[in-house]
């Protein structure tokens, strides 16, 4: 579907404006973040008494020049994202926590074509600090990571609020059925205009799907809400984006994730 000149969904379809959500674009920039900074690929504020997360999947591998090097045994996960509530006050942190952390194994895995296997953590900065910090976090060594699934360098963040709209892939079916005939051409078929989805690594808003929407439900059957999209700031191979969701209804706010490809 190609776009209509000088038009978008907001000008063509008044109902589209009713789907606006607030999002926070994280805007990573190469820098030298510390454990008390929000960052992409920077060090994490980690409790000394808590083991660093590892991946022990059988047969995970890294790809090289036409090679597939199988890695045996556990490998440490890599720090991907850290967000402090003071930097992203628009994000509702659960249960008195004020730090969100994301780590993942960047190797390829047979059961997961996307590659990464993530872990998500909510923490309280004062509690971690009082209990003592891990002085030196283990890092994946050469051969224990795939560079395509990691930030190129640690980055600081400059969060900025934006208005975010769904991709056309994420439009409600009842509205899709209503809107599509309005965009039909006299010659047949339809011309779909550009949407106003904010593309990039962000908190809240709508996922930046590159394929049809795939929202998860929690174990209790509740539709989860979008927490975080990571796209564009990490190569991620053929992956379009990685999307994290959480259930705001169930105790402990269980989370899940999805991915899609270009």
């Amino acid at each position: 579907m190609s776009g209509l000149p000088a038009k978008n969904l907001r000008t063509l379809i008044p109902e589209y404006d009713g789907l606006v959500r607030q999002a926070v674009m994280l805007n990573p920039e190469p820098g030298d973040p510390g454990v008390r900074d929000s960052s992409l690929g920077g060090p994490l504020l980690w409790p000394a008494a808590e083991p660093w997360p590892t991946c022990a999947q059988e047969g995970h591998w890294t790809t090289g020049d036409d090679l597939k090097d199988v890695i045996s045994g556990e490998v440490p996960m890599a720090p991907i994202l850290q967000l402090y509530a003071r930097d992203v006050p628009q994000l509702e942190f659960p249960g008195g926590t004020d730090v969100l952390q994301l780590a993942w194994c960047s190797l390829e895995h047979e059961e997961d074509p996307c590659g990464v296997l993530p872990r998500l953590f909510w923490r309280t900065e004062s509690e971690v600090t009082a209990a003592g910090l891990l002085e030196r976090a283990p890092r994946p060594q050469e051969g224990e990571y795939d560079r395509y699934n990691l930030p190129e360098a640690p980055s600081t963040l400059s969060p900025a609020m934006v208005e975010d709209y769904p991709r056309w892939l994420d439009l409600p079916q009842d509205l899709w059925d209503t809107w599509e005939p309005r965009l039909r051409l006299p010659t047949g078929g339809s011309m779909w205009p550009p949407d106003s989805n904010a593309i990039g690594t962000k908190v809240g808003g709508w996922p930046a799907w590159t394929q049809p929407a795939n929202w998860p439900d929690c174990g209790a059957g509740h539709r989860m809400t979008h927490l975080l999209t990571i796209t564009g700031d990490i190569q991620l191979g053929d992956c379009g984006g990685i999307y994290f969701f959480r259930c705001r209804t169930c105790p402990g706010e269980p989370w899940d994730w999805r991915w899609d490809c270009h």
Side-chain angles (χ1 to χ4, degrees):
M1 296 181 182
S2 57
L4 296 172
K7 297 287 187 179
N8 59 38
L9 282 175
R10 296 176 65 186
T11 57
L12 286 171
I13 308 294
E15 299 96 319
Y16 190 59
D17 251 351
L19 300 176
V20 64
R21 294 180 181 176
Q22 299 300 311
V24 181
M25 305 303 294
L26 296 181
N27 300 318
E29 293 288 344
D32 186 26
V35 297
R36 297 186 184 277
D37 296 317
S38 295
S39 66
L40 182 75
L44 304 182
L45 184 88
W46 200 266
E50 182 175 329
W52 187 262
T54 61
C55 176
Q57 293 288 327
E58 292 291 334
H60 45 198
W61 73 87
T62 181
T63 52
D65 297 331
D66 299 321
L67 297 175
K68 185 169 82 170
D69 300 320
V70 177
I71 311 299
S72 60
E74 289 185 296
V75 299
M77 291 190 171
I80 299 299
L81 183 69
Q82 179 164 263
L83 296 177
Y84 280 88
R86 57 178 173 268
D87 298 319
V88 192
Q90 301 83 0
L91 174 60
E92 294 185 33
F93 284 73
T97 62
D98 54 12
V99 186
L100 170 61
Q101 297 172 330
L102 171 66
W104 66 41
C105 176
S106 70
L107 294 171
E108 302 293 326
H109 304 84
E110 194 69 46
E111 74 280 9
D112 183 3
C114 175
V116 306
L117 289 180
R119 295 277 304 277
L120 198 67
F121 306 88
W122 299 97
R123 303 194 186 279
T124 303
E125 180 182 8
S126 60
E127 293 179 358
V128 176
T129 302
L133 303 182
L134 184 66
E135 291 187 4
R136 185 177 180 182
R139 289 270 186 162
Q141 301 302 305
E142 187 69 34
E144 295 181 340
Y145 61 88
D146 193 310
R147 62 187 177 89
Y148 293 111
N149 294 328
L150 293 175
E152 291 188 8
S155 296
T156 57
L157 305 178
S158 298
M161 287 282 294
V162 299
E163 290 188 340
D164 196 16
Y165 292 80
R167 299 295 312 274
W168 64 272
L169 294 157
D170 213 5
L171 293 177
Q173 187 61 48
D174 58 338
L175 296 181
W176 176 279
D177 294 339
T178 301
W179 296 353
E180 195 276 337
R182 302 187 214 179
L183 304 174
R184 202 164 290 155
L185 300 174
T187 55
S190 300
M191 294 282 283
W192 201 264
D195 57 47
S196 298
N197 182 249
I199 306 297
T201 297
K202 62 185 177 183
V203 170
W206 293 85
W209 305 110
T210 58
Q211 292 183 327
N214 183 18
W215 290 77
D217 294 334
C218 75
H222 304 125
R223 176 57 51 92
M224 292 186 167
T225 60
H226 176 242
L227 171 64
L228 170 71
T229 283
I230 293 182
T231 187
D233 298 298
I234 302 177
Q235 294 186 59
L236 297 173
D238 291 332
C239 195
I242 299 179
Y243 315 101
F244 294 88
F245 303 84
R246 60 175 170 170
C247 176
R248 303 304 307 277
T249 303
C250 292
E253 297 201 10
W255 64 277
D256 203 348
W257 66 292
R258 294 289 188 267
W259 65 275
D260 58 14
C261 60
H262 293 292

Coordinates of all heavy atoms in Angstrom, one line a residue, residues 27-35 37-44 79-81 139 150-157 233-234:
N27 N 15.6 8.1 22.7 CA 16.7 8.9 22.0 C 18.1 8.6 22.5 O 18.8 9.5 23.1 CB 16.4 10.4 22.2 CG 15.1 10.8 21.6 OD1 14.7 10.4 20.5 ND2 14.3 11.7 22.3
P28 N 18.6 7.4 22.4 CA 19.9 7.0 22.8 C 21.0 7.8 22.0 O 20.9 8.0 20.8 CB 20.1 5.5 22.5 CG 18.7 5.1 22.3 CD 17.9 6.2 21.7
E29 N 22.1 8.2 22.8 CA 23.2 8.9 22.2 C 24.5 8.3 22.8 O 24.5 8.1 24.0 CB 23.2 10.4 22.4 CG 22.1 11.1 21.7 CD 22.3 11.2 20.2 OE1 23.5 11.0 19.8 OE2 21.3 11.5 19.5
P30 N 25.5 7.9 22.0 CA 26.7 7.3 22.6 C 27.3 8.2 23.7 O 27.3 9.4 23.7 CB 27.7 7.3 21.4 CG 26.8 7.3 20.2 CD 25.6 8.1 20.5
G31 N 27.6 7.5 24.8 CA 28.1 8.2 26.0 C 28.8 7.3 27.0 O 29.2 6.2 26.6
D32 N 28.9 7.7 28.2 CA 29.6 7.0 29.2 C 28.7 6.8 30.5 O 29.0 7.4 31.5 CB 30.9 7.6 29.6 CG 31.8 6.8 30.5 OD1 31.6 5.6 30.5 OD2 32.6 7.4 31.3
P33 N 27.6 6.1 30.4 CA 26.7 6.0 31.5 C 27.2 5.2 32.6 O 28.0 4.2 32.4 CB 25.4 5.4 30.9 CG 26.0 4.6 29.7 CD 27.1 5.4 29.2
G34 N 26.8 5.5 33.9 CA 27.2 4.6 35.0 C 26.0 3.9 35.5 O 24.9 3.9 34.9
V35 N 26.1 3.2 36.6 CA 25.1 2.3 37.1 C 23.9 3.1 37.7 O 22.8 2.6 37.8 CB 25.6 1.4 38.3 CG1 26.6 0.4 37.7 CG2 26.1 2.2 39.4
D37 N 22.7 5.7 36.1 CA 22.1 6.5 34.9 C 21.2 5.6 34.1 O 21.4 4.3 34.1 CB 23.3 6.9 34.0 CG 24.2 7.9 34.6 OD1 23.7 8.8 35.3 OD2 25.5 7.7 34.4
S38 N 20.2 6.2 33.5 CA 19.4 5.5 32.5 C 20.2 5.3 31.3 O 20.9 6.3 30.9 CB 18.1 6.3 32.2 OG 17.3 6.4 33.3
S39 N 20.2 4.2 30.7 CA 21.1 3.9 29.6 C 20.6 2.8 28.7 O 19.7 2.0 29.1 CB 22.5 3.6 30.1 OG 22.5 2.3 30.7
L40 N 21.1 2.8 27.5 CA 21.0 1.6 26.5 C 22.4 1.0 26.4 O 23.3 1.7 26.0 CB 20.5 2.1 25.2 CG 20.3 1.0 24.1 CD1 19.0 0.2 24.5 CD2 20.2 1.5 22.7
G41 N 22.5 -0.2 26.9 CA 23.8 -0.9 26.8 C 24.8 -0.5 27.9 O 25.9 -0.9 27.8
G42 N 24.4 0.3 28.9 CA 25.2 0.7 30.0 C 25.2 -0.3 31.1 O 24.4 -1.3 31.1
P43 N 26.0 -0.1 32.2 CA 26.0 -1.0 33.3 C 24.7 -0.9 34.1 O 24.0 0.2 34.1 CB 27.2 -0.5 34.2 CG 27.3 1.0 33.8 CD 26.9 1.1 32.3
L44 N 24.3 -1.9 34.8 CA 23.1 -2.0 35.6 C 23.4 -1.9 37.1 O 24.4 -2.4 37.6 CB 22.4 -3.3 35.3 CG 22.0 -3.7 33.9 CD1 21.3 -5.0 33.8 CD2 21.2 -2.5 33.2
P79 N 23.7 -6.6 29.5 CA 22.8 -5.5 29.9 C 22.3 -4.7 28.7 O 23.1 -4.3 27.8 CB 23.7 -4.6 30.8 CG 25.1 -4.9 30.3 CD 25.1 -6.3 29.9
I80 N 21.0 -4.5 28.5 CA 20.5 -3.8 27.4 C 19.9 -2.5 27.7 O 20.2 -1.5 27.1 CB 19.4 -4.7 26.7 CG1 20.0 -6.1 26.3 CG2 18.7 -4.0 25.5 CD1 21.1 -6.0 25.2
L81 N 19.1 -2.4 28.8 CA 18.4 -1.1 29.1 C 18.2 -1.0 30.6 O 17.9 -1.9 31.3 CB 17.0 -1.1 28.4 CG 16.2 0.1 28.5 CD1 16.8 1.3 27.7 CD2 14.7 -0.1 28.1
R139 N 30.5 -10.1 31.9 CA 30.1 -9.7 30.6 C 30.4 -10.9 29.6 O 31.3 -11.7 29.8 CB 31.0 -8.6 30.1 CG 30.6 -7.2 30.8 CD 29.6 -6.5 30.0 NE 29.3 -5.2 30.5 CZ 28.7 -4.3 29.8 NH1 28.3 -4.5 28.6 NH2 28.4 -3.1 30.3
L150 N 23.2 -6.6 19.9 CA 23.7 -5.8 21.0 C 23.8 -4.3 20.6 O 24.1 -4.1 19.4 CB 25.0 -6.3 21.5 CG 25.1 -7.6 22.2 CD1 26.5 -8.0 22.6 CD2 24.2 -7.6 23.5
P151 N 23.7 -3.4 21.5 CA 24.0 -2.0 21.1 C 25.5 -1.9 20.7 O 26.3 -2.6 21.2 CB 23.8 -1.2 22.5 CG 22.9 -2.1 23.3 CD 23.3 -3.5 22.9
E152 N 25.7 -1.0 19.7 CA 27.1 -0.9 19.3 C 28.0 -0.3 20.4 O 29.2 -0.6 20.4 CB 27.1 0.0 18.0 CG 26.5 -0.6 16.8 CD 26.7 0.2 15.6 OE1 27.5 1.2 15.6 OE2 26.1 -0.1 14.5
A153 N 27.4 0.6 21.2 CA 28.2 1.2 22.3 C 27.2 1.6 23.4 O 26.0 1.9 23.1 CB 29.0 2.4 21.8
P154 N 27.7 1.8 24.6 CA 26.8 2.3 25.7 C 26.3 3.7 25.3 O 27.0 4.5 24.7 CB 27.7 2.3 26.9 CG 28.8 1.3 26.6 CD 29.0 1.4 25.2
S155 N 25.0 3.9 25.6 CA 24.4 5.2 25.3 C 23.7 5.8 26.5 O 23.0 5.1 27.2 CB 23.4 5.0 24.1 OG 24.1 4.6 22.9
T156 N 23.7 7.1 26.6 CA 22.9 7.8 27.5 C 21.5 8.1 26.8 O 21.4 7.9 25.6 CB 23.5 9.1 28.0 OG1 23.8 9.9 26.8 CG2 24.8 8.9 28.7
L157 N 20.5 8.5 27.6 CA 19.2 8.7 27.0 C 18.7 10.1 27.2 O 19.1 10.7 28.2 CB 18.2 7.7 27.7 CG 18.6 6.2 27.7 CD1 17.5 5.4 28.4 CD2 18.7 5.7 26.2
D233 N 17.8 1.1 17.3 CA 19.0 1.5 18.0 C 19.9 0.3 18.2 O 21.0 0.4 18.7 CB 18.6 2.1 19.3 CG 17.9 3.4 19.1 OD1 18.4 4.3 18.5 OD2 16.7 3.5 19.5
I234 N 19.4 -0.9 17.8 CA 20.2 -2.2 17.9 C 19.9 -2.9 16.5 O 18.8 -2.9 16.0 CB 19.8 -3.1 19.0 CG1 20.0 -2.3 20.4 CG2 20.6 -4.4 19.0 CD1 19.5 -3.1 21.6

